[in-house]
Amino acid sequence: MRRRRSTGRPGRPASKAAFAATLGAAAVAAYAAGAWLSGSLSPIARRPLLDTSIITLPYRWVNPPAALAAKNQKPDSGDFTISFQHGRSDAGVFATNDQQVSVVFSIAAIPQPSGATSVHMTVDPLDPATIGALPGGQHVLGNAYRIEATGRPGDVAVTSFDKKPLLIMVYPGLVTHGGTRSVQFSPDGRSWTALGSTDDPANLQMSTDLTRLNGYYEVATSGTIVSTPGSGGSSGSSPVAWIVIAVAVVVAGALVAIRLRARSREQATTGPKAASTRPVAGTTARKTSSARPGSSSQRRRRGPPPKRKRR
């Protein structure tokens, strides 16, 4: 019985492993580049790439411009409870349902008020025209928001933090004259102070670290606001999303190429050359069944030997 000869060629496993290693290195490099770009946008954009970018929804106004009034929806309020565990406040992201205002707390950010077991925080949208105007030719982008935080029981106002919380405010994507934006704070709705803030125009967001919560907050711009129909919400997707899509397409294409190369190798090893080395079905049986000359089977087929004649 013939043995089947091996048709594998030396070096192929090594070349396949090298190709896979190169592909993996390229994917890691693309991921690192995307992470670097997302981190350079703003502190609130530094998150895993698989989360992609925040999808901006149409802005909800308390008092919308006339051009946007037909499709406007009322903004949401927020009502939250922050508990204390062993004297330390809980961590969390407390956001309105429309995602227009979010307050991010680290663990143990709020010192526990005397006699309180929790902190009650509210976020209420307001028409900017109902409170004091901004100074220095500043104009409000979107709604004003009043945020209050008090300890319960006792209703003691939270006036300081052990760790500064992060306030994130969404602003509408309007056509404006002037690109400088800032977060403004007022304890009474009359006198305003600009806070050190970070602008994320890709996601239409402003972020700032807070030193207190009880007061009014607005996103301001230095330019005159000009609103147009359809400009009340999203401004297009973030470039991070396109980077993630591009990486996924490259990886998928590379996997398809690897699969096609593997199939071509399998076909090469099972082609006519390999088939010629295989024993033909039935040849072994015929060879074993064929008798040699003079074998016992042939003797059985012969008749009795002829008798000699006596003289």
Side-chain angles (χ1 to χ4, degrees):
M1 180 177 180
R2 297 181 182 178
R3 294 184 178 179
R4 183 178 178 180
R5 292 182 297 178
S6 175
T7 58
R9 297 179 181 177
R12 279 190 174 178
S15 61
K16 185 176 181 180
F19 179 76
T22 303
L23 176 63
V28 171
Y31 184 94
W36 174 84
L37 178 59
S38 66
S40 65
L41 295 176
S42 75
I44 59 175
R46 293 170 188 167
R47 56 186 181 269
L49 279 177
L50 292 179
D51 289 348
T52 69
S53 62
I54 298 175
I55 300 175
T56 53
L57 301 175
Y59 193 83
R60 298 185 177 189
W61 301 76
V62 175
N63 184 18
L68 307 175
K71 297 182 179 181
N72 182 67
Q73 297 183 30
K74 292 184 178 180
D76 292 328
S77 301
D79 192 296
F80 312 101
T81 298
I82 306 168
S83 302
F84 287 90
Q85 303 292 336
H86 306 291
R88 307 194 329 160
S89 61
D90 291 337
V93 178
F94 302 89
T96 57
N97 288 334
D98 55 17
Q99 304 295 311
Q100 292 189 176
V101 173
S102 304
V103 185
V104 184
F105 287 98
S106 302
I107 192 168
I110 306 174
Q112 187 170 6
S114 178
T117 58
S118 64
V119 168
H120 180 234
M121 183 175 70
T122 57
V123 179
D124 296 309
L126 303 171
D127 182 359
T130 61
I131 54 179
L134 294 171
Q138 298 282 312
H139 300 275
V140 182
L141 272 175
N143 306 321
Y145 283 87
R146 177 172 176 81
I147 304 178
E148 294 183 332
T150 57
R152 287 193 174 180
D155 290 333
V156 179
V158 175
T159 58
S160 62
F161 300 102
D162 291 336
K163 300 176 183 177
K164 294 180 181 180
L166 180 68
L167 171 65
I168 304 171
M169 299 183 67
V170 173
Y171 57 84
L174 300 176
V175 179
T176 63
H177 298 286
T180 302
R181 288 174 284 269
S182 63
V183 175
Q184 300 281 334
F185 168 74
S186 174
D188 54 10
R190 292 188 297 272
S191 59
W192 295 91
T193 302
L195 304 178
S197 53
T198 301
D199 189 7
D200 182 7
N203 291 313
L204 301 175
Q205 291 181 341
M206 296 294 298
S207 61
T208 183
D209 293 326
L210 297 178
T211 57
R212 57 186 298 182
L213 276 179
N214 293 276
Y216 300 84
Y217 298 85
E218 295 177 342
V219 176
T221 180
S222 59
T224 302
I225 299 173
V226 179
S227 61
T228 57
S231 65
S234 61
S235 63
S237 59
S238 169
V240 179
W242 292 108
I243 293 174
V244 175
I245 294 172
V247 172
V249 170
V250 171
V251 172
L255 292 177
V256 171
I258 291 176
R259 182 58 183 166
L260 291 176
R261 291 183 63 180
R263 286 185 178 180
S264 63
R265 289 173 181 174
E266 290 177 0
Q267 292 175 357
T269 57
T270 58
K273 183 178 179 180
S276 63
T277 61
R278 296 178 181 177
V280 181
T283 54
T284 303
R286 287 196 296 271
K287 288 182 179 179
T288 54
S289 61
S290 60
R292 297 178 182 178
S295 62
S296 59
S297 60
Q298 290 183 346
R299 286 196 299 267
R300 284 196 298 270
R301 292 174 186 173
R302 295 175 183 176
K307 297 182 179 180
R308 295 182 180 179
K309 296 181 179 181
R310 296 181 180 179
R311 294 180 181 179

